[in-house]
């Protein structure tokens, strides 16, 4: 793949792994085209707002404890600092630790866009260091500072002479990529290139890339069965912890989109195996994932024992609840790290996926393979209509209106509300562990039942509100605004 | 010049998309990067008829940076008009088109004859914060949509207050201001929130005067309306909270509008009687709290810093420590606002600091002797420092994580009671 840790710049997902944001067709067509290399993404002549890659990049980094983020741009770019402050405080409190991370902006103004602000930035870095003595400093660019050519690399090099901690330039101009997940790669790149140290000794740890570590206690307990200790990244990570992730036995992640770059980077640079199975969601996913960890870390026997015990406990319960789910039709919209995984779980539970939207699609992973979740669906003859749309809500609403599913599942803030205004029950699959393992798969099945059994809320609301889309739009084909390569 | 924004308390000018969103059935069309809208929104009632994730957006990419985004803007506006059912489309520019020099004005002018109005406000993030952006949007409405009216509607008053969504209580506040104005026998006209919108915008030129209730935000707007639409204005800098300040407010507005003095006093009496009925019943609690010192600090925009300081001093008899105005108030307004902080009952003066650096604010709070456990009203950032000082803390300014407000308000007589309820709901949780 070629992760170049000598440059502070990361190539975008579009350029690196052929990712796209515009496609409408079927899952099998999408996969076949990916396989034979003919897949070309479409652009749109009308789009609704989506997400900035800097939110993903700096959202990840700002979760690390006791570091500083300096977001060099106008105040709108660094506005994410307010939420980062909140998250850092509540996540640390939940863990019983403290987090002194600071995320500051530089309030770049019109004059700076003309004369540059290298000197101000330098002073801000020094002042932040003086105030907070962080363990590492990440200096991030924005669209504005990127376009005017502010050379943050040189500024970082300059202050490195004065400050003896890792200081990292993070290039996260929002216009660089329509795929916000490129931001995850950017954060991983910053960590890999500036924090992670070469291994000194192997440890019985496994790197676990996730978002908010909600299942942390139970996963620690589970891995005790295999004499493995998970290191959860990056929420509540310390710089010291990150320095040593090259010493782990393997890297795994709860979401392929999130963990792909770090996993491959650690494997390529330090030989830490990256677990490339389907993800631990649902029964098939959990088992395939655990077995792969067992294989890679040489713990197959213990893993099989664990699986057998857990199956005994949960499979009958899951079979029971499946009876009630059978025949339901669902539409889902999520990042690709979840869409094709959750589709599999829905299928497993007897729910028919009528349309799956992925917010983007990676044609291949860093190692050149088609994503395992896709491979699994194809091998098992699971096919449905599919589209790739970077959270284009008007397309989702068009689909919901045409297909009238029993259920809409989504993972991004502000998305489920539109389904319920359409009168469609919605399940917000926000917690990344919501379908993890047997227990949470069972819980997930029950939450679906709870959501469809009482439809009062969406019915009451839908009765009273008008939707913002015109009748004209509902009569159009979903792909009306896609340009080039319509199916 | 770039400056250290430590514990940032405002957004950039493009945050004015929330001002547009507060106008029912008006939708912003963003000529910006793909994620600006998401960044600039928060989950405080922004999932309405339109929500930020459905705002049309040109989602500028690398190619547009090099070759310009005018074509994309054109198709985005054209199709927004077809797909989205709105009354008013407001094109807002982010940083990129303004740096690379897209002629947004020209593209928008192509839609001058469309069925629905399409207007444009320049809101590049580097041009200022969302208080500024708010003014830009109102300016755009004045310049591009409104025309002078020779016909005036008797008693019609346009009311302008602070920035929707940035102000947690914007909806409740503006409704309560309307109620107060109505009681004076006038006809309030506002453009924000439920059941207001394009029809109210159309009525603006017919008003007899503009009433601006804000220390500085929108002063340029009402001046522009005076010049362009011939509408005189009354600038009332203090957000009236509680009986003392609200009665003062009613007298001044009544006087300006030529309302019979006796009528004004009757209204005031009616309200104050009920207000002090409530206060009388709870006065023991206020006086005999064993945990709260008399001194307080407010960390908020000019509106709440001033409004709450006046309320706590002139109404509740507390003592002002240093107050912090964090909205990057333009220099030319600072002196006037400072004078208002120094114009308190019994000759009391509140020291005020116009400061956007949260670190310095917290240092000041830590270094001040509040003679006991202080009362700190501020943003979520003040929670920790208040806890450190065993203080009482209320989250009243952005960012907000500690309070959910649907249509609650702090304005007027009732608003003062609500603020008291909130403060003492915190205080009663402790005992010394």
């Amino acid at each position: 793949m070629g992760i170049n840790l000598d440059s502070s710049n990361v190539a975008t997902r579009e350029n690196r792994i052929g990712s796209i944001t515009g496609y409408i067709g079927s899952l099998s067509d999408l996969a076949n085209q990916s396989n034979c290399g003919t897949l070309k993404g479409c652009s749109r002549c009308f789009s609704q707002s989506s997400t900035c890659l800097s939110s993903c990049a700096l959202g990840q980094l700002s979760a690390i404890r006791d570091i500083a983020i300096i977001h060099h741009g106008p105040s709108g770019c660094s506005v994410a600092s307010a939420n980062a402050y909140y998250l850092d405080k509540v996540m640390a409190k939940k863990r019983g630790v403290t987090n002194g991370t600071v995320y500051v902006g530089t309030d770049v103004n019109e004059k700076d866009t003309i004369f540059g602000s290298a000197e101000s930035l330098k002073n801000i870095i020094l002042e932040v260091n003086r105030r907070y003595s962080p363990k590492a400093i990440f200096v991030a660019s924005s669209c504005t500072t990127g376009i005017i050519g502010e050379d943050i690399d040189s500024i970082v090099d300059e202050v490195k002479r004065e400050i003896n901690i890792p200081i990292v330039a993070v290039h996260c101009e929002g216009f660089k990529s329509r795929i916000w997940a490129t931001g995850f790669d950017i954060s991983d790149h910053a960590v890999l290139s500036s924090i992670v140290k070469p291994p000194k000794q192997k440890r019985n740890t496994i790197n676990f890339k996730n978002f908010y570590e909600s299942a942390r206690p139970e996963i620690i307990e589970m891995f005790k069965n295999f004499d493995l200790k998970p290191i959860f990244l990056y929420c509540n990570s310390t710089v010291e912890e990150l320095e040593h992730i090259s010493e782990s036995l393997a890297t795994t992640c709860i979401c392929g989109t999130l963990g792909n770059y770090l996993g491959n980077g650690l494997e390529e640079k330090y030989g830490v195996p990256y677990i490339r199975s389907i993800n631990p969601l649902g029964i098939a996913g959990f088992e395939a994932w655990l077995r792969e960890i067992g294989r890679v870390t040489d713990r197959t026997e213990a893993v099989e024992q664990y699986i057998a015990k857990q199956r005994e406990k949960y499979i009958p319960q899951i079979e029971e609840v499946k009876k009630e789910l059978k025949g339901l039709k669902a539409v889902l919209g999520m990042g690709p790290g979840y869409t094709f995984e959750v589709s599999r779980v829905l299928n497993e539970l007897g729910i028919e996926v009528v349309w799956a939207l992925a917010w983007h699609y990676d044609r291949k992973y860093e190692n050149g393979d088609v994503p395992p979740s896709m491979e699994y669906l194809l091998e098992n003859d699971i096919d449905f209509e599919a589209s790739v749309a970077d959270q284009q809500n008007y397309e989702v609403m068009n689909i919901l209106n045409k297909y009238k599913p029993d259920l809409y599942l989504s993972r991004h803030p502000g998305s489920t509300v539109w389904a319920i205004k359409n009168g469609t029950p919605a399940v917000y699959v926000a917690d990344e562990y919501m379908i993890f393992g047997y227990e949470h798969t069972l819980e997930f099945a029950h939450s679906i039942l709870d959501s469809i059994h009482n439809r009062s809320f969406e019915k009451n609301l839908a009765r009273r509100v008008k939707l913002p889309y015109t009748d004209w739009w509902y009569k159009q084909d979903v792909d009306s605004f896609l340009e080039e390569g319509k199916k | 010049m770039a400056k250290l924004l430590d514990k940032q308390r405002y957004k950039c000018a493009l945050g004015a998309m929330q001002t547009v969103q507060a106008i029912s059935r008006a939708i912003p069309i963003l000529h910006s990067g793909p994620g600006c809208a998401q960044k600039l929104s928060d989950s405080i009632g922004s999932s309405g008829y339109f929500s930020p994730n459905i705002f049309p957006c040109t989602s500028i990419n690398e190619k547009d940076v090099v070759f310009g985004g005018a074509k994309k803007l054109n198709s985005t506006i054209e199709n927004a008009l077809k797909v989205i059912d709105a009354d008013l489309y407001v094109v807002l520019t982010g940083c990129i088109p303004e740096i690379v020099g897209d002629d947004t004005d020209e593209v928008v002018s192509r839609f001058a004859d469309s069925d629905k109005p399409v207007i444009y406000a320049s809101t590049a993030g580097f041009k200022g914060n969302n208080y500024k952006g708010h003014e830009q949007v109102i300016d755009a409405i004045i310049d591009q949509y409104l025309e002078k009216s020779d016909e005036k509607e008797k008693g019609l008053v346009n009311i302008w207050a602070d920035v929707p969504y940035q102000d947690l209580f914007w909806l409740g506040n503006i409704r309560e201001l309307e109620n107060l104005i109505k009681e004076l026998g006038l006809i309030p006209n506002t453009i924000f929130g439920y059941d207001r919108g394009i029809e109210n915008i159309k009525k603006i030129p017919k008003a007899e005067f503009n009433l601006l209730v804000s220390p500085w935000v929108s002063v340029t707007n009402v001046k522009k309306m005076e010049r362009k639409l011939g509408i005189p204005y009354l600038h009332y800098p203090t957000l009236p909270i509680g009986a003392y300040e609200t009665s003062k407010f009613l007298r001044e507005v009544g006087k300006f509008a030529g309302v019979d003095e006796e009528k004004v006093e009757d209204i005031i009496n009616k309200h104050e009687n009920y207000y002090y009925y409530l206060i009388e019943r709870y006065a023991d609690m206020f006086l005999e709290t064993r945990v709260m010192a008399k001194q307080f600090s407010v960390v908020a925009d000019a509106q709440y810093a001033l409004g709450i300081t006046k309320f706590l001093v002139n109404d509740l008899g507390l003592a002002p420590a240093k107050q912090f105005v964090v909205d990057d108030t333009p220099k030319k307004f600072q002196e006037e606002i400072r004078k208002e902080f120094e114009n308190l009952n019994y000759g009391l003066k509140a020291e005020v600091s116009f400061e956007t650096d949260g670190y310095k604010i917290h240092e000041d709070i830590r270094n001040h002797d509040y003679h006991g456990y202080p009362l700190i009203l501020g943003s979520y950032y003040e929670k920790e420092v208040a806890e450190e000082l065993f203080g009482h803390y209320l989250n009243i300014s952005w960012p907000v994580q500690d309070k959910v407000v649907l249509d609650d308000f702090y304005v007027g007589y009732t608003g003062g009671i609500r603020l008291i309820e909130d403060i003492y709901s915190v205080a009663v949780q402790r005992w010394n």
Side-chain angles (χ1 to χ4, degrees):
Chain A
M1 131 190 79
I3 286 178
N4 177 11
L5 297 180
D6 295 331
S7 165
S8 63
N9 246 310
V10 185
T12 62
R13 287 203 170 210
E14 288 95 325
N15 293 331
R16 233 175 50 238
I17 47 178
S19 309
I20 59 164
T21 53
Y23 168 84
I24 288 181
S26 69
L27 185 78
S28 52
D29 176 66
L30 182 62
N32 290 337
Q33 286 204 46
S34 313
N35 266 336
C36 55
T38 53
L39 183 65
K40 267 192 85 176
C42 303
S43 58
R44 286 176 175 77
C45 61
F46 173 67
S47 56
Q48 293 175 321
S49 74
S50 60
T51 298
C52 180
L53 59 85
S54 78
S55 299
C56 292
L58 304 179
Q60 286 295 308
L61 294 174
S62 61
I64 300 170
R65 273 148 71 186
D66 304 328
I67 54 109
I69 306 243
I70 295 168
H71 200 161
H72 189 36
S75 58
C77 301
S78 51
V79 82
S81 58
N83 204 47
Y85 177 90
Y86 162 73
L87 276 177
D88 282 351
K89 296 294 169 207
V90 297
M91 297 317 285
K93 195 170 176 189
K94 195 175 126 192
R95 266 279 292 281
V97 295
T98 57
N99 185 350
T101 284
V102 289
Y103 181 157
V104 304
T106 63
D107 215 359
V108 162
N109 67 15
E110 195 152 23
K111 258 190 202 151
D112 301 313
T113 66
I114 300 163
F115 302 109
S117 47
E119 199 53 35
S120 311
L121 176 60
K122 191 185 157 186
N123 291 332
I124 287 169
I125 299 172
L126 295 173
E127 176 64 12
V128 165
N129 183 60
R130 192 192 62 77
R131 284 182 184 181
Y132 299 104
S133 306
K135 298 275 171 27
I137 300 177
F138 298 93
V139 182
S141 60
S142 61
C143 293
T144 296
T145 52
I147 294 174
I148 64 167
E150 193 95 279
D151 187 0
I152 60 168
D153 284 306
S154 300
I155 299 163
V156 162
D157 283 343
E158 220 178 289
V159 287
K160 265 183 184 165
R161 278 177 242 142
E162 297 177 47
I163 302 174
N164 194 26
I165 53 164
I167 306 177
V168 196
V170 183
H171 294 272
C172 51
E173 296 86 6
F175 60 78
K176 267 206 314 208
S177 170
R178 281 212 68 153
I179 296 162
W180 53 85
T182 295
F184 296 141
D185 309 340
I186 292 171
S187 59
D188 288 345
H189 188 85
V191 169
L192 274 169
S193 62
S194 308
I195 310 286
V196 180
K197 291 183 173 162
K200 280 190 197 140
Q201 61 184 89
K202 272 290 165 194
R203 302 167 185 236
N204 64 338
T205 54
I206 179 163
N207 303 320
F208 203 133
K209 188 92 187 286
N210 71 164
F211 291 96
Y212 300 112
E213 57 177 12
S214 64
R216 179 190 170 87
E218 68 189 84
I219 291 174
I220 292 174
E221 278 308 305
M222 178 184 77
F223 277 127
K224 277 185 188 163
N225 291 297
F226 323 126
D227 186 30
L228 282 173
K229 280 188 192 148
I231 300 174
F232 292 89
L233 310 169
Y234 297 122
C235 182
N236 280 322
S237 291
T238 62
V239 168
E240 206 258 329
E241 247 171 1
L242 293 174
E243 286 173 355
H244 294 287
I245 58 176
S246 62
E247 297 174 352
S248 289
L249 295 180
T251 304
T252 187
C253 58
I254 192 68
C255 166
T257 307
L258 174 73
N260 185 44
Y261 194 92
L262 183 77
N264 281 286
L266 285 171
E267 184 173 86
E268 194 176 295
K269 193 157 185 215
Y270 301 115
V272 181
Y274 177 47
I275 303 297
R276 285 192 187 81
S277 64
I278 49 175
N279 277 10
L281 312 183
I283 301 160
F286 184 66
E287 291 175 357
W289 172 77
L290 212 51
R291 288 194 168 113
E292 181 63 7
I293 290 176
R295 190 188 67 77
V296 167
T297 60
D298 202 15
R299 285 157 162 84
T300 296
E301 205 178 314
V303 162
E304 290 302 334
Q305 276 172 12
Y306 179 81
I307 288 177
K309 243 205 259 111
Q310 293 288 308
R311 282 191 78 95
E312 209 178 301
K313 183 172 174 193
Y314 287 107
I315 297 293
Q317 296 182 60
I318 294 173
E319 286 304 321
E320 194 54 36
V321 70
K322 268 169 71 175
K323 289 179 194 158
E324 287 189 74
L325 294 167
K326 202 173 162 46
L328 290 175
K329 289 184 187 345
V331 169
L332 70 163
M334 299 172 183
Y338 267 77
T339 291
F340 303 113
E341 307 278 352
V342 176
S343 300
R344 180 190 66 241
V345 179
L346 293 175
N347 184 273
E348 213 167 37
L349 293 173
I351 297 171
E352 185 195 345
V353 174
V354 290
W355 193 299
L357 295 113
W359 302 148
H360 81 266
Y361 178 69
D362 302 315
R363 200 173 61 204
K364 52 184 185 161
Y365 268 10
E366 308 285 347
N367 65 348
D369 288 350
V370 171
S373 55
M374 282 292 271
E375 221 173 337
Y376 180 93
L377 292 170
L378 294 167
E379 277 172 10
N380 288 278
D381 284 327
I382 302 166
D383 198 8
F384 38 78
E385 295 195 72
S387 59
V388 181
D390 45 356
Q391 289 188 63
Q392 295 305 311
N393 181 268
Y394 68 105
E395 292 182 12
V396 178
M397 292 300 275
N398 188 302
I399 294 162
L400 291 178
N401 188 266
K402 287 197 170 91
Y403 286 79
K404 304 204 167 29
D406 299 299
L407 185 66
Y408 177 64
L409 299 105
S410 171
R411 234 184 90 72
H412 285 71
S415 55
T416 47
V417 63
W418 289 105
I420 67 160
K421 282 161 86 167
N422 193 51
T424 312
V427 174
Y428 186 42
V429 190
D431 183 341
E432 68 263 31
Y433 293 104
M434 190 173 178
I435 323 178
F436 176 80
Y438 303 100
E439 188 186 344
H440 295 290
T441 302
L442 182 63
E443 274 179 8
F444 175 62
H446 281 295
S447 346
I448 292 178
L449 281 178
D450 288 342
S451 306
I452 56 166
H453 281 163
N454 186 354
R455 305 189 183 196
S456 304
F457 183 61
E458 49 268 28
K459 258 200 142 161
N460 293 338
L461 181 64
R463 197 169 58 89
R464 277 286 171 199
V465 298
K466 186 196 164 306
L467 290 168
Y469 298 108
T470 57
D471 294 337
W472 176 86
W473 168 242
Y474 286 113
K475 289 181 193 133
Q476 306 304 306
D477 290 333
V478 184
D479 62 358
S480 298
F481 294 120
L482 284 189
E483 291 177 323
E484 302 155 350
K486 285 188 186 182
K487 66 161 178 178
Chain B
M1 211 172 70
K3 63 175 182 287
L4 175 48
L5 261 193
D6 193 338
K7 301 182 180 61
Q8 140 167 18
R9 294 151 199 279
Y10 48 76
K11 304 171 181 179
C12 71
L14 189 60
M17 66 176 207
Q18 296 189 300
T19 297
V20 177
Q21 199 191 359
I23 304 171
S24 295
R25 295 182 52 81
I27 191 157
I29 296 176
L30 308 182
H31 188 22
S32 73
C36 297
Q38 191 186 61
K39 270 202 177 179
L40 296 167
S41 63
D42 3 40
S43 306
I44 47 170
S46 58
S47 163
Y49 177 55
F50 303 127
S51 71
N53 57 337
I54 74 160
F55 293 168
C57 176
T58 52
S59 295
I60 293 169
N61 62 21
E62 210 143 23
K63 227 194 263 168
D64 307 319
V65 171
V66 180
F67 298 107
K71 193 174 155 224
K72 217 178 207 176
L73 177 61
N74 190 82
S75 71
T76 304
I77 300 172
E78 194 183 333
N79 292 314
L81 286 161
K82 282 196 235 163
V83 175
I84 302 217
D85 176 22
D87 287 341
L88 174 67
Y89 299 76
V90 185
V91 176
L92 302 175
T93 42
C95 296
I96 304 170
E98 299 213 20
I99 298 176
V100 303
D102 281 352
D103 193 348
T104 305
D105 226 347
E106 190 276 323
V107 176
V108 173
S109 71
R110 295 176 203 165
F111 296 90
D113 295 329
S114 59
D115 291 344
K116 302 282 183 67
V118 183
I119 62 172
Y120 154 55
S122 156
T123 47
F126 56 77
K127 287 202 168 162
N129 63 19
N130 50 333
Y131 293 86
K132 247 9 239 177
H134 171 81
E135 294 183 333
Q136 292 285 90
V137 166
I138 295 173
D139 263 358
I141 292 173
I142 301 166
D143 286 332
Q144 297 164 51
Y145 188 67
L146 296 180
E147 273 170 32
K148 192 170 177 173
S149 167
D150 295 327
E151 183 201 336
K152 295 280 173 194
E153 189 179 331
K154 188 146 180 34
L156 188 71
V157 184
N158 303 320
I159 308 174
W160 305 94
D162 253 53
V163 181
Y165 292 96
Q166 176 72 16
D167 177 353
L168 184 63
F169 304 92
W170 66 274
L171 180 60
N173 276 357
I174 196 125
R175 289 292 167 273
E176 189 61 6
L177 285 172
E178 283 179 355
N179 290 338
L180 291 168
I181 294 308
K182 234 185 269 174
E183 287 198 53
L184 290 174
L186 302 167
I187 307 161
N189 183 46
T190 61
I191 67 170
F192 298 115
Y194 174 72
D195 206 24
R196 310 287 184 274
I198 192 87
E199 292 309 315
N200 300 86
I201 293 179
K202 287 179 187 162
K203 274 166 71 179
I204 289 172
K206 292 186 184 154
E208 290 195 314
F209 69 96
N210 275 316
L211 170 62
L212 171 62
V213 185
S214 171
W216 68 272
V217 177
S218 283
V219 168
T220 58
N221 297 135
V222 293
K223 281 190 171 161
K224 181 179 273 249
M225 284 189 265
E226 182 180 53
R227 231 168 30 240
K228 220 187 141 216
L229 306 173
I231 309 174
Y233 67 87
L234 169 62
H235 177 199
Y236 194 87
T238 307
L239 187 73
I241 301 172
Y244 191 87
E245 288 301 320
T246 307
S247 298
K248 217 154 77 179
F249 169 77
L250 287 175
R251 284 187 188 108
E252 192 159 333
V253 177
K255 198 170 146 202
F256 188 86
V259 181
D260 177 45
E261 252 177 62
E262 209 173 315
K263 183 179 173 177
V264 176
E265 290 308 320
D266 283 350
I267 297 165
I268 289 172
N269 270 329
K270 187 190 83 183
H271 279 292
E272 289 203 355
N273 284 342
Y274 180 63
Y275 187 90
Y276 285 103
Y277 160 77
L278 295 174
I279 298 289
E280 186 184 17
R281 289 171 54 217
Y282 280 86
D284 57 345
M285 187 175 86
F286 306 151
L287 287 165
E288 296 168 7
T289 165
R290 299 158 61 108
V291 290
M292 203 161 82
K294 289 271 181 191
Q295 288 209 10
F296 69 90
S297 284
V298 185
V299 187
D301 52 18
Q303 171 190 226
Y304 282 112
L306 181 61
I308 293 177
T309 296
K310 288 213 170 180
F311 167 68
L312 294 179
V313 175
N314 293 347
D315 214 302
L316 280 192
L318 300 187
K322 199 172 187 179
Q323 311 303 321
F324 303 91
V325 174
V326 297
D327 57 16
D328 215 5
T329 305
K331 284 233 157 53
K332 63 176 174 187
F333 294 110
Q334 291 184 6
E335 222 21 69
E336 283 301 307
I337 295 171
R338 197 182 300 277
K339 275 187 203 148
E340 285 297 326
F341 275 98
E342 289 171 357
N343 178 21
L344 300 169
N345 286 359
Y346 292 96
L348 288 169
K349 290 176 197 292
E351 189 188 346
V352 59
S353 162
F354 293 89
E355 183 57 77
T356 57
D357 187 337
Y359 177 84
K360 290 183 185 158
I361 294 170
H362 287 189
E363 287 298 287
D364 278 358
I365 291 175
R366 282 192 189 97
N367 292 332
H368 182 79
D369 182 359
Y370 287 87
H371 309 306
Y373 304 141
L375 171 64
I376 312 271
L377 300 102
S379 78
Y380 186 71
Y381 297 125
E382 278 64 64
K383 188 183 170 85
E384 209 180 20
V385 71
E387 278 170 7
E388 230 177 273
L389 302 173
F390 301 101
H392 297 85
Y393 157 79
L394 201 58
N395 192 173
I396 51 98
S397 62
W398 194 90
V400 179
Q401 295 288 359
D402 240 41
K403 193 165 172 58
V404 174
V405 172
L406 275 72
D407 67 351
D408 200 1
F409 55 89
Y410 284 162
V411 153
Y413 298 97
T414 312
I417 296 296
R418 296 287 165 271
L419 180 51
I420 291 172
E421 286 172 346
D422 285 350
I423 292 172
Y424 284 89
S425 293
V426 174
V428 293
Q429 294 178 39
R430 294 235 305 262
W431 183 261
N432 245 4

